Amino acid sequence: NSLFTGFANYKKDKWAWDNGILLAYGMVQIAKDDPRKNDDRIELQTKPGYEFKKNWYISYLFNFRSQFSKGYDYNFEPKRLVSDFLSPAYFVNSLGIEYKPNDNFYFYVSPPTMKTSYVNEDNAKIPHQLYGVDSDKTARNEIGFYLSTRYKRDLMTNVTMVTKLDLFSNYSEDPQ
């Protein structure tokens, strides 16, 4: 397993700009079975904001998620391709309000959010429906509500815990 997490944050006067990257990839082999992925993530996020009240920001958030390589459903014989690089990929564009009292915690809420689910057209073997995309299309756009929160804490020297929760609810289909 390999994991890289990085942050590049900037603050000057009332402006703040937070950026994050998470790259993870791992394989596992059990007995004589072929190796299988057990982790495969690419996540990039950028969030510039303007402080309008102490610890409260009007912010724009862009988030991108995908994976590096092919993924399979092993419940079929032969195994079935279900994912690959940019298949799927998710893009979130949102404008919202953020509460950020310190560098270790934020809570962001955005009523106007555009979420795009994308399946690369070169991957015709991947069932687009698994990701909410019609089989004759490569993308699906949704308008909805987005919430994101993160908490980071140093547990000891060279050991940091980061937990993050992202939620999206589509306004036009089963809003929850």
Side-chain angles (χ1 to χ4, degrees), residues 153-171:
R153 180 178 179 156
D154 291 331
L155 299 177
M156 62 182 76
T157 304
N158 295 324
V159 177
T160 302
M161 175 192 73
V162 179
T163 184
K164 182 177 176 185
L165 174 67
D166 294 322
L167 301 173
F168 175 81
S169 180
N170 182 339
Y171 286 139

Side-chain angles (χ1 to χ4, degrees), residues 50-68:
Y50 181 79
E51 187 176 32
F52 66 91
K53 186 177 179 183
K54 185 172 171 66
N55 300 327
W56 289 91
Y57 293 82
I58 294 175
S59 298
Y60 163 76
L61 180 141
F62 173 79
N63 180 282
F64 164 78
R65 291 182 294 130
S66 190
Q67 65 277 320
F68 289 102

Side-chain angles (χ1 to χ4, degrees), residues 12-154:
K12 183 174 183 183
D13 301 325
K14 293 194 172 276
W15 289 97
W17 186 11
D18 298 341
N19 299 280
I21 183 171
L22 180 135
L23 305 172
Y25 194 81
M27 299 284 291
V28 64
Q29 183 172 1
I30 299 172
K32 295 181 180 182
D33 289 343
D34 290 337
R36 298 180 183 190
K37 288 193 312 185
N38 67 341
D39 199 358
D40 188 2
R41 293 180 287 163
I42 301 170
E43 184 171 355
L44 307 169
Q45 182 167 294
T46 187
K47 185 170 37 98
Y50 181 79
E51 187 176 32
F52 66 91
K53 186 177 179 183
K54 185 172 171 66
N55 300 327
W56 289 91
Y57 293 82
I58 294 175
S59 298
Y60 163 76
L61 180 141
F62 173 79
N63 180 282
F64 164 78
R65 291 182 294 130
S66 190
Q67 65 277 320
F68 289 102
S69 67
K70 293 179 179 180
Y72 297 93
D73 184 340
Y74 292 93
N75 292 317
F76 293 89
E77 186 58 46
K79 64 187 178 187
R80 181 168 52 165
L81 181 68
V82 294
S83 65
D84 200 352
F85 179 68
L86 294 180
S87 294
Y90 300 101
F91 303 88
V92 170
N93 286 283
S94 67
L95 185 62
I97 303 286
E98 176 184 28
Y99 175 65
K100 186 178 176 188
N102 55 55
D103 289 337
N104 295 325
F105 175 79
Y106 75 75
F107 181 84
Y108 174 85
V109 62
S110 171
T113 297
M114 167 71 86
K115 176 185 167 202
T116 302
S117 302
Y118 173 80
V119 179
N120 188 339
E121 64 186 23
D122 293 339
N123 286 318
K125 293 180 181 179
I126 294 175
H128 294 198
Q129 308 88 298
L130 288 176
Y131 308 105
V133 178
D134 292 339
S135 59
D136 60 336
K137 297 184 177 168
T138 58
R140 175 184 176 176
N141 293 313
E142 302 171 78
I143 302 292
F145 181 88
Y146 184 73
L147 180 140
S148 179
T149 187
R150 188 196 80 196
Y151 177 70
K152 179 175 85 169
R153 180 178 179 156
D154 291 331

